[in-house]
Amino acid sequence: MKINNNYLNLKDSYLFSKIAKRVSEYKAQNPDKEVIRLGIGDVTLPLVPAVIEAMNKAVDEMGNADTFKGYGEEQGYSFLREAICEYYTQKGVTLSSDEIFISDGAKSDLGNILDIFDNDNTVLIPDPVYPVYVDTNIMAGRKIVFIKGTVENSFLPLPDENTAGDIVYICSPNNPTGAVYSKSQLKLWIDWAIKNNAVILFDSAYEAFIQDTSLPTSIYQIEGAKQCAIEFCSLSKTAGFTGVRCGYTVVPKELVRSDVPLNKLWLRRQTTKFNGVSYIVQRGAQAVFTEKGLGQIRENIEYYLENARIISETLTDLGIWFTGGKNSPYIWLKCPNNMSSWEFFDYLLEDYGIVGTPGSGFGEQGEGFFRLTAFGNRINIHKAMERLRKLSI
Ligand code: MLT
């Protein structure tokens, strides 16, 4: 028996588990200190009434022999896939419901999608970025090439004549920096992918936070994307589903590599390894895409964006460099006094009782930076900012 040795090349623990461990150690040693968590991007507002109503109804259906549901379609119920198609129509994108696959969240599918690609592919991963892309490719032993996001390129790396790879991850709005690619910038990646026979894995989990109407909320709003991109989306941050679990992945039928439509491969993978998301959850997700549901989640998103504005205002007053927070729930700041990311983490936790996420956890380029999330409740955001205003830097 041989284990997958690639796992030995991973860091000891996943970023957010490491932070949670540090915080619980601190809490155990300092039980009287109140800690405000602006670290992991976990929502605090409850599910909206439209979702609760739909889920309650679905629970009743499950309790009645006439309406009870057993196994559903692995790729999701058509009522939800059609509701998502309609959501895309509103964005000016035409999709058919068999191009949409319902999942238990973007994180799972971003990892699982790798099943349909050979391990021999070279993967381009922006740095800094959501750690799941790196870790899942390390697990598969794939060659990873990092593309640098820096202050100079506004954390939006672009391809040039030397860019070589088979798969590229793009996260826009970006986690952790909050940077958002424009249509013309995404077009450069699309042209590059088509020319190089590559595939773009486009993570749009934060698309609903985009306020600037000139920015794309789906890669398919740009010509050519259906020939080269798979899009991953989630209801976690958009509709408060972090604990409920539901997302979706779009694999266009036009996306063909080695004469095989990737849609067909993904369907085969899902029907074999996945039994779908629960009926109750999918009914709740369907309610998100109704007029009522979209209106209600919009209010929650505005609440989080107001939190982001309050954090941004405090950082501006303190003279701390930051970006993000406008079309994204994340604020990406430069650690004061040239502190390293983990030094600043410890300093904020120990002296101010605030938890953030060290930028270095998102890649080498994140060293010296720090991420704050706007998903807290307003009282805690104000409290944390009052503490931060006392920062002696
Ligand atoms: C984050 O804080 O980056 C996210 O909550 C992690 C995730 O979505 O898995």
Side-chain angles (χ1 to χ4, degrees):
M1 199 291 296
K2 293 187 184 117
I3 60 160
N4 179 351
N5 275 315
N6 295 319
Y7 275 67
L8 308 181
N9 298 325
L10 291 164
K11 289 194 186 116
D12 269 356
S13 60
Y14 180 58
L15 173 65
F16 295 105
S17 318
K18 181 171 170 183
I19 294 170
K21 190 163 171 268
R22 285 247 194 154
V23 175
S24 59
E25 279 164 10
Y26 175 81
K27 284 283 286 177
Q29 284 155 15
N30 303 274
D32 303 332
K33 293 249 175 85
E34 188 207 20
V35 169
I36 302 176
R37 292 166 202 263
L38 306 180
I40 189 162
D42 197 1
V43 289
T44 49
L45 292 174
L47 295 172
V48 297
V51 169
I52 292 300
E53 211 178 291
M55 286 172 86
N56 276 332
K57 195 163 162 256
V59 169
D60 290 341
E61 284 178 65
M62 292 299 268
N64 181 330
D66 293 336
T67 47
F68 171 78
K69 303 266 185 299
Y71 288 124
E73 286 175 74
E74 295 88 345
Q75 63 269 47
Y77 283 101
S78 58
F79 62 75
L80 178 53
R81 289 185 284 119
E82 271 151 28
I84 293 169
C85 279
E86 176 51 33
Y87 181 61
Y88 273 91
T89 305
Q90 290 162 23
K91 294 171 183 274
V93 174
T94 307
L95 294 173
S96 64
S97 63
D98 54 358
E99 293 178 301
I100 293 167
F101 295 81
I102 308 304
S103 69
D104 67 346
K107 179 180 181 178
S108 319
D109 272 9
L110 281 158
N112 293 337
I113 196 78
L114 298 174
D115 275 10
I116 67 168
F117 301 114
D118 193 279
N119 279 0
D120 235 6
N121 288 301
T122 296
V123 182
L124 300 180
I125 304 187
D127 172 4
V129 91
Y130 184 40
V132 169
Y133 314 154
V134 176
D135 286 359
T136 50
N137 279 288
I138 291 178
M139 287 170 181
R142 263 194 208 93
K143 181 174 171 213
I144 299 175
V145 175
F146 290 102
I147 39 179
K148 288 183 188 174
T150 59
V151 172
E152 290 67 38
N153 64 19
S154 307
F155 295 101
L156 295 169
L158 292 170
D160 60 29
E161 60 285 358
N162 300 318
T163 308
D166 307 298
I167 296 170
V168 62
Y169 287 82
I170 298 179
C171 180
S172 179
N174 182 272
N175 178 10
T177 66
V180 188
Y181 279 100
S182 68
K183 287 185 180 163
S184 56
Q185 288 172 321
L186 279 185
K187 181 78 178 119
L188 294 175
W189 274 115
I190 290 167
D191 290 346
W192 172 87
I194 292 173
K195 185 166 164 229
N196 291 279
N197 205 30
V199 172
I200 298 172
L201 301 180
F202 189 75
D203 181 350
S204 69
Y206 299 92
E207 56 87 23
F209 289 83
I210 295 180
Q211 300 299 296
D212 179 342
T213 49
S214 71
L215 295 170
T217 56
S218 162
I219 195 165
Y220 305 121
Q221 288 167 331
I222 298 132
E223 200 203 325
K226 285 189 182 172
Q227 292 159 49
C228 63
I230 296 177
E231 181 160 294
F232 301 84
C233 209
S234 163
L235 297 186
S236 286
K237 314 299 157 79
T238 306
F241 272 49
T242 51
V244 177
R245 308 308 309 151
C246 194
Y248 51 91
T249 295
V250 182
V251 189
K253 284 189 258 177
E254 279 171 54
L255 176 49
V256 176
R257 291 292 179 271
S258 308
D259 296 327
V260 182
L262 297 194
N263 181 292
K264 193 174 157 200
L265 292 189
W266 183 240
L267 179 65
R268 189 68 179 84
R269 190 269 173 208
Q270 289 299 80
T271 47
T272 307
K273 290 197 183 181
F274 187 54
N275 257 341
V277 174
S278 91
Y279 175 71
I280 299 163
V281 166
Q282 291 194 59
R283 280 294 185 197
Q286 179 192 19
V288 168
F289 297 101
T290 59
E291 206 184 320
K292 196 158 120 194
L294 287 172
Q296 291 173 350
I297 63 158
R298 173 72 11 226
E299 280 176 30
N300 288 2
I301 289 168
E302 279 162 13
Y303 175 95
Y304 294 133
L305 285 171
E306 173 60 13
N307 285 349
R309 194 200 58 75
I310 294 167
I311 298 172
S312 304
E313 188 179 62
T314 309
L315 295 174
T316 305
D317 291 349
L318 285 166
I320 294 176
W321 184 96
F322 72 96
T323 184
K326 282 211 173 75
N327 296 294
S328 145
Y330 295 127
I331 291 103
W332 181 247
L333 59 104
K334 182 104 193 65
C335 302
N337 286 343
N338 288 323
M339 273 190 230
S340 75
S341 300
W342 278 105
E343 272 167 2
F344 191 55
F345 174 91
D346 288 335
Y347 173 65
L348 271 194
L349 177 61
E350 282 158 27
D351 292 21
Y352 299 91
I354 299 171
V355 181
T357 308
S360 55
F362 298 98
E364 267 178 33
Q365 296 300 312
E367 181 55 277
F369 291 90
F370 202 75
R371 192 194 76 175
L372 292 175
T373 132
F375 285 120
N377 75 49
R378 185 67 47 78
I379 294 170
N380 278 346
I381 295 284
H382 278 305
K383 224 191 257 180
M385 292 308 107
E386 267 166 41
R387 294 183 191 177
L388 212 56
R389 281 184 185 278
K390 302 199 182 94
L391 207 68
S392 47
I393 45 169

